[in-house]
């Protein structure tokens, strides 16, 4: 490979990708598994993970376009390459914020199919109309139909906070998808992609033979880019990125891994790179936050604001498969929301307990998540937020604890009235989110032999132990640090230990006082 590689950034059409000479990570071995296995498949992955591209690959494969697969794995497979009628249904084009959005989307798609297969005077009912298309396509071509549904749940995911719209679209989709069972004899394959498996949508109860490959070890790497694929296929891009930024080869790989790797979708799956961010970084020749540019869904922000637990602990949690995948109206747990939207991913699995350990995938996701959460707690001044945060960082690097606390007091004093800190947990999480964005080594609720310190921050020269009180006193906070010996593990650390006790008043809605005690290291 050379530095002139063409990266398919945002390219979701397999034909355009192959004919345009773009770099392609060969995932066609999974097609062979699919055609030899079940009749119905479902795959959930976060956004921008290549689901649409894989559906496009399936489309051209079943259409018999063998010339597009030259040199790929599937080209040498035992397949006759005779074309099947393919119906691809893409529901990702609209936001579904009104009740009457789905029908126009389907009408546009259905009219193309009806023209292709000579259907005139179509029924008004969308389910009956879809059924006629399936049966007519099979009858005219003499072959069973392949149905590919992209983002089958888009109308539902966008309406988790609206009972009326959610129930409306669930009813419409249930009727539409009921054809997968009633027209089974005319169907060769159904492959659905989305964000979540909505258990109450009849498709999953009616089709008892649907194969959910979302957390399957066999299909764990079907979307995304593995470490092996990165090193093998993107050599030129890695070299160019290294040269552009003055890094050696290993430093470049480390930067890519820290920022874009870390996703895992099965018990035994590989760690996966987010393809959108990885390709953007190689194309732009720089490390940046790409995945979060479209913003954080409002429902996630609201869910996290009201969790009754420490945020750092919540973002490193254990849960069952049902808790991880369970998403539906009124049962949208924050853990399920964060996992299915890609803000949490699998980090481990306990076979005995049958529990998954979840964590934030990488630096890009964590910084993006916290940047979107921060305005929920406070608003930055009307100047560059990076400049503003840098002032805090300078204070901590220089050991200026009082200056740091004065800035922090001003920061929280700017919280609007309608964003009031509702409880102690909310305040603790707000401080943790803010300090994490400083880019320093931050831990929250660090366990010790005698308790938990609220926040631990380490720099090259200083160790900060911060104890927060909500409607208490700073004296109580510092006394707790001393009484529980939080500083003892750092007696021979070589760095100066700075203990900070601070109090937040719910009545005055600000940090009212703080105390700083410094424990210098013995000479």
């Amino acid at each position: 490979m050379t530095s002139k590689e063409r990266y398919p950034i945002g390219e979701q059409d397999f034909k355009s990708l192959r004919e345009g000479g773009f770099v392609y990570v060969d995932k066609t071995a999974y097609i062979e598994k699919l055609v030899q296995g079940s009749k119905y498949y479902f795959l959930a992955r976060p956004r921008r993970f290549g689901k649409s591209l894989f559906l496009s690959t399936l489309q051209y494969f079943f259409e018999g376009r063998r010339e597009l697969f030259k040199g790929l794995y599937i080209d040498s497979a035992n397949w006759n390459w005779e074309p099947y009628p393919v119906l691809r249904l893409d529901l990702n084009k609209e936001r579904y914020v009104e009740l009457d959005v789905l029908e126009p989307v389907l009408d546009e798609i259905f009219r193309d199919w009806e023209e292709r297969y000579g259907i005139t005077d179509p029924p008004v009912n969308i389910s009956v109309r879809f059924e006629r298309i399936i049966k007519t396509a099979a009858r005219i071509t003499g072959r069973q139909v392949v149905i590919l549904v992209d983002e089958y749940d888009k109308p539902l995911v966008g309406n988790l906070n609206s009972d009326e719209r959610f129930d409306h679209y669930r009813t419409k989709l249930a009727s539409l998808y009921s054809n997968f069972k009633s027209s089974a004899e005319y169907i060769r394959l159904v492959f659905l992609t989305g964000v979540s498996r909505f258990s109450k949508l009849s498709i999953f109860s009616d089709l008892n033979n649907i194969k959910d490959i979302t957390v399957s070890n066999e299909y764990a790497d079907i979307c995304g880019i593995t470490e092996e694929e990165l090193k093998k296929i993107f050599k030129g891009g890695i070299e160019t990125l290294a040269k552009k930024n003055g890094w050696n080869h290993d430093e470049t790989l480390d930067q890519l891994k820290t920022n874009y790797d870390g996703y895992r979708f099965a018990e035994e799956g590989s760690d996966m790179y987010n393809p959108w961010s990885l390709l953007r970084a190689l194309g732009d020749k720089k490390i940046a936050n790409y995945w979060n540019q479209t913003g954080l869904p409002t429902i996630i922000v609201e869910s996290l604001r009201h969790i009754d637990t420490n945020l750092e602990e919540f973002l490193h949690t254990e849960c069952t498969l049902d808790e991880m995948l369970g998403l539906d109206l009124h049962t949208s747990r924050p853990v399920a929301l964060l996992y299915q939207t890609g803000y949490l991913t699998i980090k481990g699995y306990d076979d005995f307990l049958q529990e998954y350990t979840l964590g934030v995938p990488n630096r890009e996701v964590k910084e993006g998540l916290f940047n979107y959460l921060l305005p929920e707690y406070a608003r930055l001044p009307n100047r560059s937020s990076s400049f503003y945060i840098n002032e805090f960082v300078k204070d901590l690097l220089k050991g200026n604890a009082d200056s740091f606390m004065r800035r922090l007091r001003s920061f929280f004093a700017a919280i609007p009235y309608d964003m009031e800190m509702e409880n102690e947990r909310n305040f603790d999480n707000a401080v943790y989110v803010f300090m994490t964005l400083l880019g320093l080594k931050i831990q929250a609720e660090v366990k010790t032999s005698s308790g938990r310190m609220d926040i631990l921050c380490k720099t090259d020269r200083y160790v900060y132990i911060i104890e927060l009180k909500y409607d208490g006193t700073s004296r109580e906070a510092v006394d707790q640090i001393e009484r529980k010996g939080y500083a003892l593990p750092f007696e021979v650390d070589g760095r100066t230990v700075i203990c900070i006790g601070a109090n937040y008043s719910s009545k005055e809605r600000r940090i009212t006082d703080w105390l700083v005690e410094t424990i210098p290291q013995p000479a």
Side-chain angles (χ1 to χ4, degrees), residues 68-88:
L68 298 175
F69 294 85
K70 185 177 180 181
L72 301 181
Y73 174 89
I74 200 66
D75 186 36
S76 59
N78 184 22
W79 184 254
N80 59 23
W81 292 95
E82 293 183 11
Y84 285 79
V86 178
L87 305 178
R88 184 172 175 187

Side-chain angles (χ1 to χ4, degrees), residues 28 31 36 69 86 103 108 148-149 169 179 182 241 261 313 326 328 399 415 418 449 483 498:
T28 60
I31 297 179
Q36 294 174 352
F69 294 85
V86 178
E103 283 81 356
E108 181 180 357
L148 309 175
V149 186
Y169 282 120
N179 286 289
S182 62
L241 180 65
D261 194 21
E313 186 176 287
D328 230 315
I415 298 176
D418 61 352
S449 59
R483 185 176 67 256
I498 298 178

